[in-house]
Amino acid sequence: MAQQQPLRIYDAKHADLETLQRIGCDTYREHFSEIWTRAGMQHFLSEDFSSENLATSLAATEKHLWLLAEDNGGNILGFAKLNWNSPMPLSNTVGVELQKIYLLKSTTGKGNGLRPHVSPSSAPDNLQLRCALFCASVGACRRLRRWLCLHPRS
């Protein structure tokens, strides 16, 4: 069996807005269409992944970080959203909230949470940390909101 290539995980920018909309809507439909009404799902997606809301969120880099994951063929497989300086529940600690993390169902169960996702020689330390957070979360329970008690971003 051929060894799978690592995913490339990178910060989403304004130029990735349509890609983020597509992967966001696709993954939400895959994971939640059985528990939401069609109208409820459409309303949520049209709000949460609207061009205006995503553009605002992508521009607010002091508040949020959106990540995209792609395979070596350039196919986008998932995304994550982190919120900086979020208060941790039941604590005075401020850290990074992993608000969203979703992969297409077709990519789950393939060891993506276990493989390295970025070459140490090709990424700055900050990006490596972001990739590690994404990968560790993919390997854990993806549907639960996690709070990562890291130093607040200054």
Side-chain angles (χ1 to χ4, degrees), residues 14-144:
H14 189 272
D16 300 305
L17 190 141
E18 289 181 12
T19 300
L20 192 53
Q21 282 178 313
R22 182 186 50 77
I23 194 67
C25 291
D26 288 351
T27 56
Y28 267 81
R29 284 187 184 106
E30 282 187 355
H31 290 281
F32 299 113
S33 63
E34 294 180 13
I35 61 173
W36 284 41
T37 65
R38 181 176 290 174
M41 174 69 74
Q42 188 55 44
H43 176 75
F44 171 79
L45 294 176
S46 66
E47 289 290 318
D48 212 51
F49 291 98
S50 72
S51 295
E52 182 180 345
N53 286 343
L54 276 180
T56 299
S57 186
L58 285 165
T61 57
E62 74 287 356
K63 294 181 181 180
H64 313 289
L65 171 67
W66 289 86
L67 297 171
L68 288 167
E70 74 176 11
D71 65 13
N72 61 346
N75 302 303
I76 301 298
L77 305 179
F79 76 99
K81 180 185 179 187
L82 290 86
N83 296 316
W84 304 119
N85 300 317
S86 294
M88 198 166 117
L90 307 174
S91 169
N92 291 328
T93 305
V94 173
V96 178
E97 173 195 13
L98 178 56
Q99 181 184 353
K100 302 174 187 286
I101 183 165
Y102 294 98
L103 290 174
L104 294 171
K105 280 188 174 182
S106 62
T107 66
T108 59
K110 299 192 188 241
N112 286 315
L114 303 174
R115 293 196 314 265
H117 291 272
V118 70
S119 165
S121 62
S122 66
D125 290 339
N126 201 14
L127 180 57
Q128 288 176 354
L129 172 62
R130 294 171 187 177
C131 292
L133 293 174
F134 188 98
C135 299
S137 299
V138 168
C141 182
R142 293 178 312 276
R143 293 190 181 136
L144 294 177

